Amino acid sequence: MTDGPRGPGDQGPGDQGPGGTPPPASRPARGQRSFWKELPILIGIALVLALLIKTFLVQAFSIPSASMQNTLTMGDRVLVDKLTPWFGSEPERGEVVVFHDPDNWLAGEPTTDPNALQTFLSWIGLMPSAEEKDLIKRVVGVGGDTVECKGTGPLKVNGKALDETSYVYAGNTPCSVDDQGGQFTVKVPEGSLWVMGDHRQNSRDSRYNQADKNQGMVPVDEVIGRAVVVAWPVNHWSNLPVPDTFDQADLNSSSAAAGVLSVAPQGAAFAGAVPFVLWHRRRVSAARTR
């Protein structure tokens, strides 16, 4: 026999808990967390991501002077690649790099006094820092290079003349005729760079800092990264490629070594992957023969 239809409050035998006790009341569905409660979490995550990006990937910098005209003009914002150096790559000739002041190159330069908002935005990488003493120049010589300027130019690297018409400021000569450093012949030591501004007659670069502790060189350890993109203002959007003149096949004999450095991380990754691939193929082969 079957019971008649049960009402909403009736319980059948199958509805009882262990020992005939009533079943536990079901918990009400948990309400969705409100937007205002989640907002601080979202902001915290965004700040952490911004700090990680600034520290390891990309950072924005502002151009404060005319020393890199017309490649970069005052007020431009550039994005600097900070990731590549983590894989052992070093700056190469022709690259535009940002670096820490090696030895008081910015002495006497005016500094700005940022407000609280600007300080916070620079801390998380959304604005350039006004407190950091950084410079931006073009790498002309790397470790082992001989760089020289005689008369008005051309600038020579290891005896090879560079055609700099594509980036040196219009009206400037590649070399400056003066007795403060514009005429020089230097040998760049390993682990160092010789840097110059594109606005040759308006740039206090390696030439005019030869009396410092590094003889005008920039230690590679002081390099923050390579400037790769002009991100602001919008009408200045562009990338910053290495000029063709630095691609001369016989520029120097150390170019092959530089090539080894640039592909070393990829080669190491490939070598590390080979044992895993061989192991995986053996497992697949063994499974098929079972």
Side-chain angles (χ1 to χ4, degrees), residues 68-128:
M68 284 296 292
Q69 283 184 306
N70 274 337
T71 304
L72 301 169
T73 59
M74 291 179 63
D76 282 353
R77 301 289 195 271
V78 296
L79 298 183
V80 174
D81 168 24
K82 301 177 72 173
L83 176 65
T84 304
W86 286 89
F87 293 96
S89 177
E90 294 188 355
E92 298 181 4
R93 298 182 211 89
E95 294 181 349
V96 176
V97 297
V98 173
F99 54 94
H100 298 303
D101 189 338
D103 187 24
N104 214 24
W105 286 20
L106 293 174
E109 293 291 331
T111 57
T112 59
D113 187 15
N115 58 38
L117 177 60
Q118 291 172 329
T119 301
F120 175 73
L121 291 177
S122 66
W123 180 66
I124 63 175
L126 297 181
M127 276 191 66

Side-chain angles (χ1 to χ4, degrees), residues 5-250:
R6 289 182 289 172
D10 296 337
Q11 291 184 352
D15 296 329
Q16 296 180 348
T21 58
S26 58
R27 292 183 179 178
R30 199 178 226 181
Q32 203 170 21
R33 186 177 293 178
S34 70
F35 169 77
W36 296 109
K37 289 183 178 179
E38 290 186 347
L39 184 59
I41 299 175
L42 295 175
I43 293 175
I45 294 173
L47 290 176
V48 171
L49 289 176
L51 287 171
L52 289 174
I53 290 172
K54 172 189 173 182
T55 304
F56 299 106
L57 300 178
V58 177
Q59 186 174 355
F61 287 86
S62 177
I63 306 303
S65 72
S67 68
M68 284 296 292
Q69 283 184 306
N70 274 337
T71 304
L72 301 169
T73 59
M74 291 179 63
D76 282 353
R77 301 289 195 271
V78 296
L79 298 183
V80 174
D81 168 24
K82 301 177 72 173
L83 176 65
T84 304
W86 286 89
F87 293 96
S89 177
E90 294 188 355
E92 298 181 4
R93 298 182 211 89
E95 294 181 349
V96 176
V97 297
V98 173
F99 54 94
H100 298 303
D101 189 338
D103 187 24
N104 214 24
W105 286 20
L106 293 174
E109 293 291 331
T111 57
T112 59
D113 187 15
N115 58 38
L117 177 60
Q118 291 172 329
T119 301
F120 175 73
L121 291 177
S122 66
W123 180 66
I124 63 175
L126 297 181
M127 276 191 66
S129 174
E131 297 177 359
E132 294 179 4
K133 294 185 176 298
D134 303 319
L135 300 98
I136 183 166
K137 305 291 179 187
R138 189 179 298 276
V139 177
V140 172
V142 296
D145 286 346
T146 298
V147 186
E148 60 181 316
C149 259
K150 292 182 179 179
T152 58
L155 176 70
K156 293 183 179 181
V157 177
N158 298 322
K160 303 297 179 181
L162 299 181
D163 179 2
E164 301 187 285
T165 54
S166 66
Y167 57 88
V168 166
Y169 186 73
N172 280 191
T173 54
C175 297
S176 301
V177 181
D178 59 58
D179 58 359
Q180 280 81 48
Q183 304 289 290
F184 61 87
T185 299
V186 295
K187 176 83 170 181
V188 184
E190 294 298 332
S192 296
L193 307 171
W194 183 266
V195 299
M196 298 174 69
D198 290 353
H199 197 339
R200 290 293 157 82
Q201 273 75 61
N202 190 21
S203 176
R204 186 169 179 80
D205 46 39
S206 288
R207 298 169 295 171
Y208 301 107
N209 288 282
Q210 295 184 64
D212 73 3
K213 66 180 182 181
N214 302 305
Q215 289 78 53
M217 309 294 170
V218 176
V220 171
D221 292 344
E222 298 291 344
V223 175
I224 298 170
R226 175 186 174 185
V228 291
V229 173
V230 180
W232 187 264
V234 175
N235 60 334
H236 286 185
W237 276 359
S238 65
N239 62 347
L240 297 170
V242 173
D244 292 340
T245 189
F246 291 96
D247 292 332
Q248 299 181 58
D250 55 351

